[in-house]
């Protein structure tokens, strides 16, 4: 019974990773929004533990620091770029960010969020907008790094199950 439960969890997570192009190699991940911060501390810690460099804006970086998670502070879009520094959109378009968690709230944050999502979309990196999606993405990244997997057809799954004396039920 426990094995069946874990398979129901792992398959959608791995599918999410394959479909969205989530990063497997430790690059950078950017996060934000104060009210979502408490919910993201544990998954961000998982990413940091497997080698991702975390990049965040000031308030988020402070919350992460208080929870023992190192983070590189970067300027928000509306703050512009100081001389010799980049803002977050610059880092995205330069290919230095591998995945974005952006949960904007309020007018200025929504404007920044639009620019973040546009930059991410233009170069094809995942931009996650909910904490639930972020948790699933972190699980998918961990699964992709931990397990070998491949894409198999429904017919191949049915044949493998038939070899075990089981049947595959598909309802549409």
């Amino acid at each position: 019974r426990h094995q069946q439960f874990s398979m129901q969890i792992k398959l959608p997570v791995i599918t999410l990773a394959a479909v969205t192009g989530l990063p497997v190699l430790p690059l950078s991940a950017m996060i934000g929004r104060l009210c979502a911060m408490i919910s993201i501390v544990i998954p961000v810690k998982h990413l940091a533990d497997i080698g991702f460099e975390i990049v965040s804006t000031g308030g988020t970086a402070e919350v992460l620091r208080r929870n023992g998670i190192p983070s590189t502070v970067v300027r928000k879009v509306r703050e512009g770029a100081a001389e010799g520094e980049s803002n977050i959109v610059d880092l995205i378009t330069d290919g230095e960010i591998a995945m974005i968690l952006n949960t904007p709230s309020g007018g200025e944050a929504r404007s920044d969020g639009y620019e973040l999502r546009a930059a991410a979309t233009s170069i094809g990196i995942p931009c996650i907008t909910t904490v639930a999606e972020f948790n699933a993405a972190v699980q998918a990244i961990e699964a992709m790094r931990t397990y070998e997997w491949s894409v198999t057809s429904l017919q191949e799954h049915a044949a493998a199950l038939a070899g075990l004396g089981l049947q595959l039920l598909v309802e549409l």
Side-chain angles (χ1 to χ4, degrees):
R1 191 162 230 232
H2 175 64
Q3 193 172 26
Q4 182 182 19
F5 177 76
S6 65
M7 286 301 290
Q8 290 174 353
I9 298 300
K10 287 180 187 170
L11 290 177
V13 168
I14 290 172
T15 302
L16 171 71
V19 171
T20 61
L22 293 173
V24 178
L25 300 175
L27 296 169
S28 297
M30 197 290 278
I31 59 170
R33 189 166 169 229
L34 189 58
C35 67
M37 288 185 210
I38 302 305
S39 301
I40 63 167
V41 168
I42 291 173
V44 169
K45 176 83 169 106
H46 286 297
L47 289 177
D49 288 347
I50 61 174
F52 279 79
E53 176 188 348
I54 308 302
V55 175
S56 59
T57 55
T60 305
E62 180 60 25
V63 169
L64 295 176
R65 186 194 61 74
R66 283 190 219 145
N67 285 279
I69 303 167
S71 175
T72 301
V73 180
V74 66
R75 291 174 170 272
K76 295 179 181 183
V77 176
R78 66 179 169 263
E79 294 173 340
E83 189 174 326
E85 291 184 25
S86 300
N87 69 23
I88 189 57
V89 170
D90 296 332
L91 294 178
I92 293 167
T93 57
D94 290 345
E96 295 183 41
I97 304 295
M99 178 175 67
I100 297 168
L101 171 61
N102 178 246
T103 57
S105 175
E108 288 181 336
R110 288 192 190 281
S111 176
D112 276 3
Y114 172 78
E115 291 194 45
L116 291 173
R117 290 187 302 279
T121 302
S122 73
I123 62 169
I125 62 170
C127 186
I128 298 167
T129 57
T130 69
V131 174
E133 289 173 348
F134 183 59
N135 282 311
V138 171
Q139 289 177 20
I141 291 166
E142 290 175 329
M144 289 178 4
R145 293 172 57 115
T146 303
Y147 304 102
E148 276 192 47
W149 61 280
S150 62
V151 177
T152 52
S153 69
L154 192 54
Q155 293 80 1
E156 291 170 306
H157 283 292
L161 289 173
L164 297 172
L166 302 171
Q167 293 182 9
L168 177 63
L169 173 64
V170 178
E171 293 183 19
L172 300 176

